[in-house]
Amino acid sequence: MASVHESLYFNPMMTNGVVHANVFGIKDWVSPYKISVLALLYEMTASKVTLPERRRLNKLILPLQQGPDLTLGQFLKTVEECCPQTAYAVKLRLHEMADGELKDMEYFFSTLPTPFTAFDSEAYKTSVVGLFMRHMLLAYNKLSFSQVYKLYKSLQQYYHSHYAKPTDGLVSLPALAADDSDMDLTSTEDTVGDRIEREEVDTQLHESELRNDNTPSRGPLSQKQAEYFLARQAYLLKNDENKALKPALLQKELNNMLKFNPDFAEAHYLNYLNSMRVQDMFLSAHSLLHYFDRLILSGNEGKSNGDEGYGRSLRYAALNLASLHCRFGHYQQADLALQEAIRIAQESNDHVCLQHCLSWLYTLEQMKGSDSTVLTEDSVKMAAHFCLPYLASLGIQSLVQQGTTQGKTAHKLMDALKDTDILHWKHSLSELIEISLAQTTSIWRMYGKSTMALQQAQLLLNMSSLEPVNFGVQQNNTEAFSVALCHLAELHAEQGLYSAVSEILQHLKEQFPPHTQHAKLWMLCDLKIQFERHMNEGKYHLAEPLVTAISALNKTEGLYRKAQVLKALNRSTEAYSILQRLQVHCEKTKCTETVIRVMLSTAQLHWESSGFSTALPLLLQALALARQHHLQSLASETIIHLAFTQLMLGVPEQALGVLHEAIEPVLAHGAVMDKGRALLLTARCQMAVAGFKPNGQGQADLHLVVLAIDSLNEAAGYFSKLSCKERLRDVHYLQAQLHHAVGQTSQCNKSAMLFRLLDQELQSPAPPVSMRL
């Protein structure tokens, strides 16, 4: 359940990365956009603003200061969304300066209330707003007269370009920035070299982080803007990928950034994360290696940790490379990189890195299909010894997942998860809390307790995150949420609630677009639901094309459903061959659930050739396996198959007795299709025990006949939910016979009419009712 690559986000500290001044050949300057921000701060102080509007504006200040420069239209639109009154006041203030004279701009700066000149200023001297205003005032006072005049002309162009018609030639921000960059805080010289440098910088395209669309805005990035851009995009990629820039656009921005500074390590790491989004193996590995190369060459690690910093970077470089190969299924390369990381960590006596390596080692063994229980237990013990709760909890969750395949009882697994939950809440590990709830949902679903699975899924979806979520991000795009929503969709589909299923899947498609890493979960879920629906409705020609799509996402599921389609199309030999190969494969991979389902399908193939006695040992083996692994849902389904086999072998009394054992859990937790089949089989057993004969010979037990009619009526309701017309045809056929036997002529005619209508609609010969479950 745990997402094995998530720890990669924590190794580099994106917000602590060193971005040197002049890294792109530019510095912070006084620009027309910064004057607009100052005008906003002035109007927020001078005008009366309601409390909700003030809160929204306060949240907007930091992105406006740290983000890339916006056009006037973008700026006013952003402010207007928070407070239309303030946006209008800012517009008037800029109009007074731009349509007035140079003295109007001078007057604005002289009357600007700052925490250093006004005692009643709302901003503190050391606050973000206070420092920003101080920085801008110092920069403005440092300008010469000619530079002040250039700034004023740039402000006029900035203001009037917003109202210029497209045919008038729109003045863009780069043209302004070329003249504004000589008005920075530290330089008052206007040299030829600076102008050449500015012309190169003006070719960059940078995305406006405050806009709702994805149209890039032209303008160079300062040091703080570059840090803000990288930190924000890395945060969004981790917490809400949909709000981050599109992969192609983010790649373009990073390429432009690296064009001017190839040694910018943090940009390489963000490039690596972006490549992982689109499953680009080559570029992701290339960017990851470049990140650690630049990190070592820049000396960022070595400055703080001496020579140890160099070795630490190498250790985690090898470890991250191993995780990357694991994700793409390159197990041999991952093993080599992991062994290299272990060797370097042992030489440096780095116990924390060794614990991460051990965690990846048992994860790699699990991916290979090997038994990693001993390695996992050792990892949990050592993580607890070195006080690493995150790794210890991940190890316990891995042990629980392995326990489900080894037949551990539910209460033991739940007790283990309960102990980890205490650890999660103690250390506020919300990410692991989500994984724990999603894992509990999967366990209850596997054991056949749909009500408990539904409860755990709802608990996860309604849980408030413990993470300090910024940028308006809601943490609901993790793997745990995707798993919970997929379970919800399948549970609703089992009950025939396809409208609710469509809404859940639509939300999944919006939250996890096809290019995201967890999209395969809902894609497979959607295909399986469509397949089961078409099979229940008897539309085998629509179900068959879905097999190829399912196989592309999961070969095992694809083979199993291919066998189901072939069996439904009466191609028994091909279906039997596929089922035999699938059973051998699943026994090797210890996929117990699929093994049991394959056995049940094989037994159904034996029924078609009247080999009921041959199917009996196979069903008993499947029942023993289901009970050994405490799979109640599959055990109940196997008992239903056993009861049908006993009915066909001429012992309906024993079949009815066996059915009583399985009917209760099926009606409580089973799917609508299973409920209908169980009740239909119960009615047939009751008819056989009552001595009912279709030709009316002999005396039938009327009490059992009435019970059989009630069972058929209930079964018809379940089949109607799924539009399962072939099953409904069988039900109406039996109802007509029973009503005729007890002398209920009107009900008999009604059932006969319904049978006739369905038979004409289906236009296919009905198989003998006695030969199908």
Side-chain angles (χ1 to χ4, degrees):
M1 283 300 304
S3 182
V4 294
H5 68 280
E6 289 173 348
S7 60
L8 294 179
Y9 289 100
F10 300 101
N11 288 336
M13 305 302 292
M14 297 299 296
T15 56
N16 295 333
V18 177
V19 183
H20 298 287
N22 274 334
V23 77
F24 300 110
I26 57 178
K27 303 173 184 179
D28 293 331
W29 60 84
V30 183
S31 66
Y33 170 70
K34 296 293 176 63
I35 295 177
S36 302
V37 177
L38 288 175
L40 172 62
L41 296 174
Y42 180 87
E43 296 301 334
M44 286 177 61
T45 305
S47 60
K48 293 183 179 180
V49 184
T50 62
L51 185 59
E53 290 175 338
R54 181 169 291 277
R55 286 175 178 170
R56 290 195 292 267
L57 288 172
N58 288 340
K59 291 181 179 179
L60 187 63
I61 290 174
L62 189 61
L64 286 176
Q65 292 181 13
Q66 295 184 344
D69 290 2
L70 305 177
T71 63
L72 182 58
Q74 298 167 11
F75 175 75
L76 292 176
K77 180 181 178 182
T78 304
V79 177
E80 188 175 3
E81 291 174 355
C82 299
C83 181
Q85 179 184 354
T86 304
Y88 181 72
V90 171
K91 184 178 177 181
L92 286 180
R93 179 70 60 180
L94 294 175
H95 175 75
E96 291 177 0
M97 289 187 284
D99 282 359
E101 299 178 358
L102 179 58
K103 65 180 181 179
D104 295 312
M105 187 178 72
E106 286 278 358
Y107 179 77
F108 169 74
F109 276 96
S110 63
T111 58
L112 187 65
T114 68
F116 302 92
T117 59
F119 293 101
D120 58 346
S121 175
E122 297 183 6
Y124 290 99
K125 294 182 179 180
T126 57
S127 67
V128 174
V129 174
L131 292 175
F132 171 76
M133 296 176 73
R134 180 174 183 266
H135 182 79
M136 291 297 105
L137 286 173
L138 288 174
Y140 179 77
N141 294 330
K142 187 104 174 175
L143 298 178
S144 63
F145 180 79
S146 62
Q147 291 171 334
V148 172
Y149 180 74
K150 288 181 182 179
L151 176 62
Y152 176 68
K153 298 301 290 183
S154 298
L155 178 62
Q156 286 183 321
Q157 291 178 345
Y158 179 76
Y159 179 80
H160 291 298
S161 64
H162 173 59
Y163 300 99
K165 297 180 181 179
T167 55
D168 296 338
L170 204 62
V171 180
S172 59
L173 280 177
L176 306 179
D179 288 332
D180 291 337
S181 58
D182 61 352
M183 294 179 282
D184 60 78
L185 180 62
T186 58
S187 174
T188 58
E189 299 295 330
D190 189 8
T191 62
V192 176
D194 291 336
R195 292 186 179 278
I196 295 174
E197 186 180 26
R198 288 196 299 272
E199 291 174 359
E200 293 176 350
V201 171
D202 289 339
T203 61
Q204 299 180 72
L205 290 176
H206 293 283
E207 173 65 19
S208 172
E209 292 299 312
L210 298 173
R211 298 179 60 194
N212 294 327
D213 56 10
N214 287 326
T215 305
S217 62
R218 295 182 62 87
L221 288 177
S222 66
Q223 170 190 342
K224 292 181 180 179
Q225 289 172 338
E227 291 177 347
Y228 178 80
F229 176 82
L230 293 174
R232 171 168 178 149
Q233 291 300 318
Y235 182 86
L236 290 175
L237 287 180
K238 179 181 183 295
N239 294 290
D240 196 347
E241 193 173 324
N242 291 334
K243 292 188 177 181
L245 296 183
K246 300 297 181 184
L249 190 56
L250 181 56
Q251 184 68 48
K252 182 179 180 181
E253 296 296 322
L254 292 172
N255 287 342
N256 287 330
M257 196 176 290
L258 292 171
K259 176 182 177 181
F260 291 91
N261 184 15
D263 295 330
F264 196 6
E266 285 76 7
H268 283 290
Y269 186 78
L270 188 59
N271 202 7
Y272 156 71
L273 296 181
N274 190 45
S275 303
M276 294 281 282
R277 296 166 71 189
V278 293
Q279 306 295 313
D280 189 337
M281 172 61 193
F282 174 78
L283 188 57
S284 56
H286 178 79
S287 300
L288 183 64
L289 294 175
H290 272 288
Y291 164 71
F292 282 102
D293 287 344
R294 266 55 181 188
L295 195 66
I296 294 170
L297 291 174
S298 64
N300 291 343
E301 290 284 345
K303 288 178 182 178
S304 58
N305 300 321
D307 295 336
E308 172 60 20
Y310 179 84
R312 185 176 184 275
S313 295
L314 289 179
R315 293 194 293 275
Y316 282 101
L319 184 58
N320 278 272
L321 189 60
S323 68
L324 178 64
H325 284 300
C326 273
R327 178 168 181 179
F328 287 102
H330 304 158
Y331 301 137
Q332 185 176 1
Q333 293 90 327
D335 188 56
L336 292 174
L338 196 55
Q339 295 300 327
E340 179 69 11
I342 292 173
R343 183 186 64 80
I344 302 174
Q346 286 175 338
E347 291 177 355
S348 304
N349 201 25
D350 188 344
H351 298 291
V352 175
C353 184
L354 282 173
Q355 279 308 116
H356 281 282
C357 293
L358 185 55
S359 298
W360 275 108
L361 194 59
Y362 73 69
T363 302
L364 182 59
E365 292 300 318
Q366 288 178 15
M367 290 180 173
K368 292 179 180 179
S370 305
D371 186 7
S372 61
T373 306
V374 177
L375 277 175
T376 310
E377 291 175 350
D378 291 341
S379 175
V380 171
K381 292 176 183 177
M382 296 302 295
H385 175 71
F386 290 109
C387 298
L388 301 171
Y390 189 91
L391 294 179
S393 296
L394 279 179
I396 294 174
Q397 289 176 346
S398 180
L399 284 173
V400 169
Q401 188 170 350
Q402 295 177 51
T404 58
T405 62
Q406 296 170 358
K408 301 290 185 182
T409 55
H411 72 274
K412 290 184 178 180
L413 300 180
M414 294 304 169
D415 286 343
L417 287 177
K418 181 189 69 175
D419 295 337
T420 60
D421 286 341
I422 295 174
L423 195 63
H424 300 159
W425 288 106
K426 180 180 178 181
H427 297 278
S428 298
L429 301 173
S430 63
E431 189 177 25
L432 294 183
I433 293 172
E434 296 169 2
I435 294 174
S436 178
L437 287 172
Q439 195 172 41
T440 307
T441 303
S442 302
I443 291 173
W444 282 125
R445 182 92 192 285
M446 184 191 71
Y447 285 147
K449 305 292 185 180
S450 60
T451 306
M452 292 300 299
L454 187 64
Q455 181 194 51
Q456 292 296 312
Q458 293 287 1
L459 183 61
L460 171 59
L461 297 176
N462 289 280
M463 187 187 73
S464 298
S465 175
L466 299 179
E467 291 284 347
V469 181
N470 299 322
F471 308 118
V473 173
Q474 298 296 325
Q475 281 190 307
N476 57 355
N477 72 323
T478 59
E479 183 185 16
F481 277 94
S482 179
V483 169
L485 286 168
C486 287
H487 280 307
L488 273 183
E490 291 179 352
L491 288 169
H492 282 80
E494 289 178 355
Q495 303 305 317
L497 305 173
Y498 291 111
S499 59
V501 171
S502 299
E503 293 180 6
I504 295 172
L505 289 174
Q506 181 62 32
H507 175 72
L508 278 165
K509 292 174 183 177
E510 294 173 356
Q511 195 64 35
F512 303 90
H515 68 269
T516 57
Q517 55 183 333
H518 303 311
K520 289 183 179 179
L521 295 173
W522 66 257
M523 289 179 180
L524 182 60
C525 174
D526 188 16
L527 290 171
K528 286 162 65 175
I529 290 173
Q530 291 183 47
F531 179 86
E532 295 298 335
R533 185 175 185 179
H534 292 324
M535 292 295 291
N536 291 337
E537 295 175 356
K539 300 176 181 178
Y540 308 127
H541 64 288
L542 295 178
E544 192 171 8
L546 297 175
V547 173
T548 305
I550 294 175
S551 300
L553 296 172
N554 189 313
K555 292 183 180 180
T556 303
E557 293 285 349
L559 276 177
Y560 175 67
R561 278 159 178 78
K562 183 177 182 181
Q564 283 185 305
V565 172
L566 293 174
K567 180 167 66 67
L569 296 175
N570 295 322
R571 295 161 62 180
S572 303
T573 305
E574 297 175 55
Y576 183 80
S577 175
I578 291 175
L579 289 173
Q580 291 301 109
R581 287 191 288 114
L582 186 58
Q583 182 173 347
V584 172
H585 170 73
C586 292
E587 286 174 349
K588 288 181 179 179
T589 57
K590 298 181 180 179
C591 188
T592 310
E593 289 182 88
T594 308
V595 170
I596 296 173
R597 294 188 187 279
V598 167
M599 289 180 175
L600 297 181
S601 297
T602 306
Q604 293 173 9
L605 290 176
H606 289 303
W607 293 346
E608 294 180 2
S609 58
S610 299
F612 296 102
S613 58
T614 311
L616 198 58
L618 198 61
L619 292 173
L620 291 173
Q621 183 182 354
L623 180 61
L625 200 58
R627 285 177 171 171
Q628 178 187 348
H629 289 79
H630 310 283
L631 307 176
Q632 186 187 63
S633 177
L634 288 175
S636 300
E637 189 175 351
T638 307
I639 290 174
I640 292 174
H641 281 69
L642 275 172
F644 178 77
T645 304
Q646 290 176 326
L647 177 64
M648 293 296 99
L649 291 174
V651 282
E653 293 84 1
Q654 287 85 342
L656 192 59
V658 168
L659 264 178
H660 287 158
E661 179 185 349
I663 196 71
E664 184 177 343
V666 169
L667 294 178
H669 302 285
V672 170
M673 188 65 178
D674 295 334
K675 294 176 184 178
R677 289 165 58 190
L679 288 169
L680 176 58
L681 181 58
T682 302
R684 291 173 57 188
C685 290
Q686 290 169 342
M687 291 169 60
V689 172
F692 176 80
K693 302 291 184 182
N695 54 12
Q697 296 179 355
Q699 186 66 30
D701 188 343
L702 290 180
H703 176 67
L704 287 175
V705 170
V706 173
L707 290 177
I709 292 175
D710 293 338
S711 298
L712 288 173
N713 290 336
E714 197 172 350
Y718 288 129
F719 290 139
S720 298
K721 284 186 178 181
L722 300 175
S723 299
C724 191
K725 297 179 181 179
E726 290 187 355
R727 305 278 182 180
L728 279 172
R729 180 172 60 179
D730 297 343
V731 170
H732 293 319
Y733 176 76
L734 294 175
Q735 282 178 326
Q737 289 186 334
L738 291 175
H739 286 306
H740 177 72
V742 297
Q744 297 174 345
T745 307
S746 60
Q747 289 90 334
C748 175
N749 292 336
K750 180 181 178 181
S751 298
M753 180 192 68
L754 292 173
F755 168 78
R756 182 64 177 169
L757 290 174
L758 286 174
D759 193 56
Q760 291 177 346
E761 181 181 350
L762 292 173
Q763 295 181 351
S764 60
V769 179
S770 60
M771 296 299 293
R772 185 173 66 174
L773 175 58

